[in-house]
Amino acid sequence: VQLGKMEEKLKEVTGLLNSTQEELGTVRGELGRTENSLQNETGQHNKTAERLETCSATLTYSQTKLEKLADVTRRLNETEVQLGKMEEKLKEVTGLLNSTQEELGTVRGELGRTENDLQTETGQHNKTAERLDTCSATLTDSQTKLEDARTFQNITRWDVLYTTPYFNKVFTDEHFQQLTTSWDMLRE
């Protein structure tokens, strides 16, 4: 009997063993599917981590570019302010240039008139210089003749009237008296 009970128990254990093996096969199948899912999820996770790293690098790069853009914008604003100041200065300098050009036109007109006056004066100066040269030549010739005539041999008592006290004087009563006295002395 015991052997029969043992056989029954053995059958029961064998049935349990078979059902356990079937469950084990099912669990192994589920485990395989779970491992496949886990591998898929791990792959997805790795791809997501790579994308996240790429996004993080892109975000860092974008932040750097944004900071550079802010700096460039600040410098652009400063440049625009400077440009405005330069435009104002340019208007001021242009106004000065225009007034200077007007003054230059006036001065050129005055220069033209002055040049004409200078040409006229130069012409008159040249004529005067020619007359002076003629007079100088005549004077030199007259002085030469006078010096030749005044040599000691040619001096007469009348030559005293050509001396400074008598020559080129205004004829007044007093001068007349001096001349009369001198002539009287010469006659004697």
Side-chain angles (χ1 to χ4, degrees), residues 29-90:
E30 285 181 23
L31 181 61
R33 286 189 298 275
T34 302
E35 284 178 349
N36 287 339
S37 264
L38 182 61
Q39 285 178 351
N40 286 340
E41 288 296 320
T42 303
Q44 290 290 331
H45 173 72
N46 289 341
K47 288 180 184 177
T48 303
E50 288 175 7
R51 286 184 194 158
L52 183 60
E53 286 179 23
T54 303
C55 286
S56 177
T58 302
L59 180 61
T60 303
Y61 177 76
S62 295
Q63 286 174 339
T64 304
K65 289 296 182 181
L66 188 60
E67 289 170 0
K68 287 182 181 179
L69 179 62
D71 184 52
V72 167
T73 302
R74 179 189 52 78
R75 290 191 331 215
L76 177 63
N77 290 338
E78 290 173 358
T79 303
E80 287 176 345
V81 168
Q82 290 295 326
L83 178 63
K85 290 178 182 177
M86 287 297 140
E87 286 175 343
E88 290 176 15
K89 191 72 171 176
L90 179 62

Side-chain angles (χ1 to χ4, degrees), residues 146 150 160-170 175 179:
L146 182 60
R150 289 211 164 208
V160 76
L161 297 175
Y162 292 110
T163 62
T164 305
Y166 303 103
F167 192 65
N168 283 338
K169 295 286 182 176
V170 177
H175 192 242
L179 288 175

Side-chain angles (χ1 to χ4, degrees), residues 60-150:
T60 303
Y61 177 76
S62 295
Q63 286 174 339
T64 304
K65 289 296 182 181
L66 188 60
E67 289 170 0
K68 287 182 181 179
L69 179 62
D71 184 52
V72 167
T73 302
R74 179 189 52 78
R75 290 191 331 215
L76 177 63
N77 290 338
E78 290 173 358
T79 303
E80 287 176 345
V81 168
Q82 290 295 326
L83 178 63
K85 290 178 182 177
M86 287 297 140
E87 286 175 343
E88 290 176 15
K89 191 72 171 176
L90 179 62
K91 285 179 184 177
E92 181 182 329
V93 169
T94 301
L96 288 172
L97 176 63
N98 290 338
S99 66
T100 303
Q101 286 177 337
E102 290 174 6
E103 288 179 33
L104 180 61
T106 303
V107 168
R108 281 186 177 157
E110 290 175 8
L111 177 63
R113 287 188 296 278
T114 302
E115 285 175 343
N116 289 338
D117 291 347
L118 179 62
Q119 287 177 352
T120 303
E121 290 297 321
T122 302
Q124 290 176 355
H125 172 72
N126 290 341
K127 288 177 184 177
T128 303
E130 287 175 13
R131 284 190 221 151
L132 182 60
D133 289 342
T134 303
C135 289
S136 292
T138 305
L139 180 60
T140 303
D141 185 46
S142 296
Q143 284 176 338
T144 304
K145 286 180 183 177
L146 182 60
E147 286 175 12
D148 288 345
R150 289 211 164 208

